[in-house]
Amino acid sequence: MANKRVLIDNNPGRNAQTYGIARELGTEMELIHEPSVGVIGNKGDSQCYLGVQQKVEKIHSTLLKNIGLDDNKIKMRLVQPEYTIATSDGMRNGTREMRYSLIGREVTHDSICEHLSATGLEGVIAVVACDKPPVGTLAGILEHNRPSIMMSDGTIRPGIDSITNEKIDIISGFQVAGDENEAFKKRIASEACPGYGSCGGMFTYNTMQTFLGVVGMEPLHMVSPASQDSRRMKEFPEELVGYLRNLIANQITPRDIVTRDSIRNAMIVSMAVGGSTNVLLHAPEIARAAGYNNFFEQIMSEEEFNTLSQYVVPVLIDARPFGQYSMVDIDEKGGVQVIVKELLEVGLLNGETLTCTGETLTEQVKRLNPPAPDGKVIYPVETPYKETGGLRILGGNVSTDFTAILKLAGVEGGLENNIFNGKARVFDGERQLLDALENRPEIFEDRDMVIVRYEGPSGAPGMPEMLDSTSRITTLCRQKNIVVALMTDARFSGGSVGLVIGHVGPEAAIGGPIALIEDGDNIVVDLNNNQINCLELSDPKIMQQRKSAWEKIVESNGGTHPSIGDANTRLLNRMRFSSVSAKYGAGMHPNRDLWVSEPRSPEKSTFTPRNKYR
């Protein structure tokens, strides 16, 4: 190391810009060859990201004040802030551009990886917004594995309907899309999203921010405040710098924090908040970056996930989209730490996991000393908002990869004795479905199971979420008092409600069973055994006939099915040929055996989640 330092110090070419940066940023010249520290942030073209830059700049200036040669200073080189770019989900839902949403997670990961690795950062504070960029940011941080801490930019505050005085949000806008009153739709759209910040309900953003807090990478009290909350500018920057100093001093790295037990904690809390189905894409990707190649073998099996969600972990919040309240309401009642404390006290979480504050999860919650659940927004485990956990993984002959995911907390009807029976109504792509919902809504009948296929990771490509489609179906069902379910190899927004099942795998583009379903087939969703079955495909003869017919279509089309989407850009093409199954996070990882440079050895824990009230 000494020889390397001499070579760097004696190279005027390398020194030129480091001296220049030190001058411009106002740091000491003597620190230019010390390890570097800096701030990163997510940016994009929506309200989700409007508050990020001011927080990044505030944290950067706070770091600057704490860097120097004095004994009480951080003796490191400060680098200028760096930003990633991402797509706005809300603005792109229902369009072909939505294919770039999940790809945005991968692009964020790439850019974070390049910045951290090429800059050699030894200390990082990340400000994250929306829902895909935080996951890509954490994945890059975990691979880099140097002291790091994250902060949510914060949630947007609800809008107010000027006629009814009811709180509304972006989902309100989507759910009136099928209304014929243009003035009404414009009013809701203009009133739904005041100010800035990421989506306010327990959609994917707040599911994943809660996940980041519980997994240990974000201080719990920084999760729930709104983006425009003054604490994010006045209090949190100094706290973050202090926590980072401690992480650096003690060489606590992200992989010390994000472990098998902390990921399991985060999954259990995701169930308890009725979280987004997207957590079943993002958790495997986070686990992979932390060194666990196979989430369902090394972290939590599908069977254990379903057992916990079905019998052990209840839903503790009354929150949008399945309830009334938003994250700012949860913050007013004490924040997500109230939920974590409640789950710790009944034995559902392992409180010994390490967090970015340098404390264990139990120690952090004890210091924060949150109030008891208020019983209106946040409920106690003893008398929960819903008895059954929010998520369920489904197998069966339609989802032979055991990947299909249902957000049970959002189901509004159709499950008698935990069973849905319906008839398939098939659409090859979301555009076909949206056209039918817009122009031929009368074709939809009670107990239809809408099938949308060729929209998976490879097929779309990009696995778009279908908030526009699910919102229109929800409105149609409420208006006609019917039940229309939806099943797809794509995914859903955390704001979707209804009997909607995503991540069906294998996907249609590679010949999964969903590609073989025909109009009028009998579809059974049975939550007693967690399966989706097409009765016709249970007959081996019919299955083989349909498979052969599908293969002939693919062969005559040059090796791909004609219903898959165009892959006419570098990113879409990359996603088509390098994406893995939803089971492994639907990321761009063509060789799954080489995902992680430092895979972890199998870990065992003596901790078993229990619930003293069950």
Side-chain angles (χ1 to χ4, degrees), residues 110-138:
D110 286 350
S111 59
I112 291 294
C113 179
E114 192 275 342
H115 176 60
L116 299 183
S117 299
T119 310
L121 280 166
E122 287 292 315
V124 181
I125 299 174
V127 181
V128 292
C130 202
D131 60 288
K132 314 307 179 301
V135 180
T137 299
L138 179 53

Side-chain angles (χ1 to χ4, degrees), residues 202 274-277 321-322 390-391 405-411 494-496 498 500:
M202 192 49 71
S276 168
T277 53
F322 52 84
L391 299 168
I405 180 71
L406 168 67
K407 184 174 180 175
L408 193 57
V411 174
S496 292
V500 294

Side-chain angles (χ1 to χ4, degrees), residues 338-385:
V338 176
I339 301 164
V340 175
K341 180 182 179 183
E342 185 71 9
L343 295 170
L344 280 168
E345 288 182 345
V346 299
L348 282 169
L349 303 180
N350 184 344
E352 297 307 305
T353 56
L354 184 63
T355 73
C356 60
T357 65
E359 304 158 300
T360 66
L361 185 63
T362 295
E363 289 169 343
Q364 187 184 164
V365 170
K366 184 177 180 180
R367 174 177 55 82
L368 293 173
N369 191 27
D374 67 297
K376 182 179 179 182
V377 178
I378 305 173
Y379 287 69
V381 173
E382 187 177 5
T383 55
Y385 178 68

Side-chain angles (χ1 to χ4, degrees), residues 328-527:
V328 296
D329 297 306
I330 291 172
D331 185 59
E332 288 176 359
K333 300 303 180 182
V336 298
Q337 54 267 38
V338 176
I339 301 164
V340 175
K341 180 182 179 183
E342 185 71 9
L343 295 170
L344 280 168
E345 288 182 345
V346 299
L348 282 169
L349 303 180
N350 184 344
E352 297 307 305
T353 56
L354 184 63
T355 73
C356 60
T357 65
E359 304 158 300
T360 66
L361 185 63
T362 295
E363 289 169 343
Q364 187 184 164
V365 170
K366 184 177 180 180
R367 174 177 55 82
L368 293 173
N369 191 27
D374 67 297
K376 182 179 179 182
V377 178
I378 305 173
Y379 287 69
V381 173
E382 187 177 5
T383 55
Y385 178 68
K386 289 191 176 187
E387 290 286 340
T388 304
L391 299 168
R392 196 75 61 82
I393 305 174
L394 309 175
N397 70 6
V398 174
S399 181
T400 55
D401 274 356
F402 208 161
T403 57
I405 180 71
L406 168 67
K407 184 174 180 175
L408 193 57
V411 174
E412 297 188 345
L415 289 171
E416 284 72 38
N417 299 315
N418 287 320
I419 296 174
F420 170 87
N421 287 283
K423 297 286 187 180
R425 189 177 293 275
V426 180
F427 298 90
D428 284 356
E430 188 186 22
R431 295 308 308 169
Q432 285 188 9
L433 172 59
L434 286 171
D435 177 71
L437 288 167
E438 180 74 22
N439 300 307
R440 296 174 291 127
E442 69 279 356
I443 71 171
F444 295 95
E445 299 177 354
D446 191 31
R447 300 287 161 168
D448 274 352
M449 170 59 84
V450 171
I451 310 289
V452 184
R453 59 196 184 191
Y454 300 104
E455 295 283 14
S458 177
M463 203 181 186
E465 65 182 34
M466 297 188 174
L467 179 57
D468 197 354
S469 298
T470 59
S471 298
R472 289 172 185 264
I473 288 173
T474 295
T475 301
L476 182 71
C477 289
R478 290 172 180 174
Q479 289 174 343
K480 298 175 69 173
N481 195 28
I482 61 174
V483 173
V484 175
L486 188 152
M487 177 169 61
T488 179
D489 51 10
R491 60 191 181 86
F492 299 117
S493 162
S496 292
V497 293
L499 210 170
V500 294
I501 300 167
H503 310 188
V504 173
E507 62 175 298
I510 60 173
I514 193 173
L516 310 180
I517 298 174
E518 296 182 356
D519 278 325
D521 280 357
N522 292 281
I523 308 296
V524 179
V525 180
D526 188 344
L527 298 187

Side-chain angles (χ1 to χ4, degrees), residues 523-580:
I523 308 296
V524 179
V525 180
D526 188 344
L527 298 187
N528 297 306
N529 60 18
N530 295 316
Q531 290 193 354
I532 319 167
N533 288 297
C534 172
L535 300 188
E536 285 71 16
L537 295 184
S538 299
D539 185 330
K541 185 176 180 180
I542 293 176
M543 169 71 91
Q544 186 54 50
Q545 288 174 344
R546 293 186 184 181
K547 183 71 172 176
S548 297
W550 185 88
E551 289 171 346
K552 286 181 181 178
I553 293 173
V554 169
E555 183 179 356
S556 66
N557 193 55
T560 60
H561 195 279
S563 294
I564 64 172
D566 293 333
N568 53 2
T569 68
R570 176 185 176 97
L571 284 174
L572 292 176
N573 187 66
R574 182 181 164 200
M575 189 71 174
R576 167 146 296 157
F577 292 105
S578 67
S579 60
V580 295

Side-chain angles (χ1 to χ4, degrees), residues 93-170:
N93 254 285
T95 73
R96 295 304 288 164
E97 288 75 27
M98 189 62 203
R99 296 178 297 170
Y100 287 95
S101 171
L102 187 59
I103 290 174
R105 183 189 74 183
E106 307 298 294
V107 172
T108 297
H109 185 174
D110 286 350
S111 59
I112 291 294
C113 179
E114 192 275 342
H115 176 60
L116 299 183
S117 299
T119 310
L121 280 166
E122 287 292 315
V124 181
I125 299 174
V127 181
V128 292
C130 202
D131 60 288
K132 314 307 179 301
V135 180
T137 299
L138 179 53
I141 283 173
L142 282 164
E143 289 179 347
H144 187 61
N145 202 33
R146 303 308 301 143
S148 306
I149 189 169
M150 304 177 73
M151 182 184 77
S152 159
D153 172 66
T155 185
I156 193 171
R157 293 185 171 116
I160 302 295
D161 185 318
S162 59
I163 302 299
T164 66
N165 288 321
E166 295 178 349
K167 291 182 178 180
I168 56 176
D169 56 26
I170 189 170

Side-chain angles (χ1 to χ4, degrees), residues 287-332:
R288 178 211 59 78
Y292 305 100
N293 276 3
N294 193 316
F295 178 88
F296 292 106
E297 288 184 4
Q298 294 176 276
I299 306 295
M300 183 181 288
S301 71
E302 296 94 338
E303 292 81 7
E304 184 183 13
F305 181 97
N306 283 339
T307 297
L308 287 169
S309 186
Q310 191 167 358
Y311 300 113
V312 182
V313 184
V315 176
L316 300 183
I317 59 171
D318 177 1
R320 297 273 287 161
F322 52 84
Q324 301 181 62
Y325 300 104
S326 68
M327 188 57 108
V328 296
D329 297 306
I330 291 172
D331 185 59
E332 288 176 359

